[in-house]
Amino acid sequence: MGDARPQYPVEMPAALDLKSLYEKEADTVFAFLTRFGLRPVEAEDAVHDTFVAALGRARSFDASRPARPWLLGIALRVAVARTRHGRTREELGEVPDSPDPGQDPERALVARRAERLAQQALEQLPEEQRSVFVLHDLQDLPMADIATAMDAPLATTYSRLRLARLAFTRGVEQLRQAGGRL
Amino acid sequence: MNFDENEPMPPRPVELQALPPVRMGAGQKAMLWSRVEASAAVAAAATEAVAQSGGAEHQMSAERLATSAGAAPSLVAKAGLNSAVVKWGLAALVTGVAAGAAVDRYGFPPEPTVVERVVVRTQEVRVEVPLPAPPTAPPTPAARTALQKSEPKEQRPVQKEPAVEAAGTNLERQLLEGARTALVRRDANFALETLDKLRREFPRGQLAEERDSLQVQALQQAKREADAKAAARTFLERYPHSVFGPAVEAVLQGEK
């Protein structure tokens, strides 16, 4: 769509088509925000904010590179701004997605519990570690892209991933022990 | 790569497999897009006003405005609907210019902000915008008030589509709402910034009276007591029978 482009008076990346970007990437952004720890309604608001902010950051968009890391870098900042304002992290209530409804109820319950546990352990991680961890281990973003998105050196980014993996595994273990009876 | 090899990277934790993929429902995704689109349109309308009054030198926080509009879609839906066509491609100008705001809000690394003109995309988007509000006060010839802090730049002639012009009137209302909500969330600086913008964009605006009353409150909230009182006196002289009078007088009450 939009083939007959007029002349642009600028050095603008004319390729930033917000709508097709949204269509392609909204789910990924939503998934990131959810795993980062925002509740569904908040994650929706944050998706909105991310795309509006993306429009404002259009000049930093490089059409010759994948859009996802750029966009997730924005989503990351939106998410952090939201959690810093203390508007999230209320009760760890419903988990966003229930497992396959075709499963038998018992297994579904076990899966649901495991999911809740993992999500909770995730949300205990410090923001920076959590970001790298979610982006890399759940969303398969290359480390170099994450480093760019977070405006951090690559070594630091690796270090955060390492710490996050250790802390996450430890956290799951602790939660299992503490919450075994729940 | 200089990652410390003495500290081996643990494997990806297996517990992560417990987290299923997250996706939005199709309806949810479509609804959310319409919010994004509406916000982009608000930013575009704001951009148009900035373009009219000289462009990049204004630090307009359209992104914040757009975000609050998106957070409250009712703002767009409220006042009876009229259609306007705007180009949200232009939105990048204002939001790009507002890089300062973006830094505050999301901690983006700073970027050069001098932009002559930016267009992301010029496909037309049809959005719903409220009808312009009826005038609440006659246009005041002496609208450049004592409150005014900075002189506007010369007006640059811009060829406008009629629909965008309609969006301009609408923009005055939206800016005013932006200032009002900023006051409610006690963001006095943003309120002042927005009011300043309003005075520049609409020196003879239809909502000048309301705007000036908000100015008084914003100054008070910003703890600029002397300015607030001076503004309050000017306001009461200019609009002796204003419905906003009591709120403005309340500011002067603190004088004793």
Side-chain angles (χ1 to χ4, degrees):
Chain A
M1 64 206 246
D3 285 330
R5 281 213 180 89
Q7 288 296 309
Y8 291 98
V10 220
E11 78 291 18
M12 185 56 203
L16 180 60
D17 175 342
L18 198 67
K19 185 163 184 30
S20 68
L21 188 67
Y22 179 87
E23 265 155 24
K24 272 189 230 131
E25 303 292 349
D27 280 312
T28 305
V29 172
F30 183 73
F32 167 73
L33 294 164
T34 304
R35 289 310 176 207
F36 190 85
L38 300 184
R39 294 294 162 259
V41 175
E42 283 221 318
E44 265 190 32
D45 285 349
V47 170
H48 166 271
D49 292 357
T50 299
F51 280 90
V52 173
L55 195 59
R57 305 272 310 154
R59 282 175 313 129
S60 69
F61 177 71
D62 179 352
S64 67
R65 304 191 41 123
R68 184 172 294 176
W70 175 76
L71 195 61
L72 286 173
I74 296 172
L76 172 66
R77 288 175 163 84
V78 170
V80 168
R82 280 189 168 260
T83 47
R84 291 222 174 119
H85 284 96
R87 284 165 51 195
T88 184
R89 318 286 304 254
E90 71 270 27
E91 294 276 299
L92 202 80
E94 81 278 37
V95 185
D97 229 2
S98 52
D100 196 352
Q103 267 180 355
D104 82 85
E106 201 136 323
R107 283 181 59 188
L109 189 69
V110 171
R112 204 169 154 71
R113 219 174 252 175
E115 182 187 352
R116 191 173 297 194
L117 199 81
Q119 179 70 31
Q120 208 170 344
L122 204 53
E123 291 177 22
Q124 287 176 356
L125 299 176
E127 274 162 12
E128 286 167 335
Q129 291 178 23
R130 196 184 338 152
S131 304
V132 182
F133 189 48
V134 172
L135 290 174
H136 186 268
D137 282 0
L138 282 175
Q139 304 203 284
D140 297 320
L141 225 60
M143 288 300 276
D145 287 344
I146 299 172
T148 310
M150 294 184 72
D151 201 28
L154 190 59
T156 309
T157 311
Y158 268 99
S159 168
R160 284 173 182 162
L161 179 64
R162 189 179 69 81
L163 294 173
R165 284 179 174 178
L166 291 172
F168 176 80
T169 310
R170 213 181 312 125
V172 168
E173 202 42 56
Q174 283 167 356
L175 286 168
R176 254 187 209 140
Q177 284 170 9
R181 52 200 160 326
L182 287 181
Chain B
M1 188 188 61
N2 56 354
F3 176 63
D4 189 348
E5 284 163 18
N6 297 322
E7 301 178 69
M9 179 66 79
R12 183 176 180 273
V14 288
E15 289 86 355
L16 282 178
Q17 289 166 9
L19 295 171
V22 180
R23 265 185 219 98
M24 281 193 275
Q28 185 187 17
K29 191 170 171 179
M31 289 266 286
L32 195 48
W33 168 248
S34 55
R35 276 176 62 191
V36 172
E37 201 176 32
S39 298
V42 171
T47 306
E48 192 63 28
V50 170
Q52 282 173 40
S53 61
E57 69 269 23
H58 294 312
Q59 287 285 319
M60 171 65 192
S61 297
E63 183 191 314
R64 292 165 80 173
L65 185 69
T67 303
S68 59
S74 55
L75 187 98
V76 178
K78 220 163 31 185
L81 294 172
N82 182 20
S83 268
V85 177
V86 293
K87 289 182 173 172
W88 50 270
L90 278 167
L93 172 64
V94 160
T95 49
V97 165
V103 169
D104 290 342
R105 214 164 166 220
Y106 300 131
F108 284 118
E111 267 190 7
T113 56
V114 182
V115 174
E116 192 49 41
R117 177 161 255 252
V118 171
V119 176
V120 176
R121 175 186 170 72
T122 59
Q123 179 172 341
E124 287 181 339
V125 187
R126 190 162 283 275
V127 290
E128 304 290 298
V129 295
L131 288 164
T136 55
T140 50
R144 301 272 155 79
T145 68
L147 314 170
Q148 195 155 358
K149 292 280 165 255
S150 59
E151 272 308 302
K153 306 286 174 192
E154 55 181 308
Q155 300 277 315
R156 190 186 292 174
V158 169
Q159 53 298 46
K160 292 177 291 178
E161 296 171 25
V164 172
E165 200 147 24
T169 325
N170 174 42
L171 174 63
E172 188 186 0
R173 166 58 65 190
Q174 285 177 343
L175 281 169
L176 198 73
E177 289 304 326
R180 192 197 311 284
T181 52
L183 279 178
V184 171
R185 63 173 192 271
R186 308 202 68 76
D187 187 349
N189 288 335
F190 182 56
L192 285 169
E193 193 183 315
T194 309
L195 291 167
D196 209 36
K197 182 67 48 187
L198 253 174
R199 254 191 315 280
R200 277 201 299 263
E201 309 309 344
F202 304 98
R204 289 173 184 75
Q206 297 179 352
L207 306 171
E209 182 179 340
E210 201 171 345
R211 174 197 73 204
D212 290 350
S213 77
L214 289 180
Q215 175 81 16
V216 173
Q217 293 171 48
L219 286 168
Q220 190 192 34
Q221 206 176 87
K223 305 256 183 285
R224 288 164 56 183
E225 294 295 335
D227 290 341
K229 282 170 183 162
R233 281 186 218 101
T234 313
F235 179 90
L236 293 172
E237 274 165 31
R238 182 169 304 145
Y239 314 105
H241 307 295
S242 171
V243 290
F244 307 109
V248 172
E249 272 165 19
V251 173
L252 286 175
Q253 297 303 306
E255 205 170 21
K256 305 166 202 163

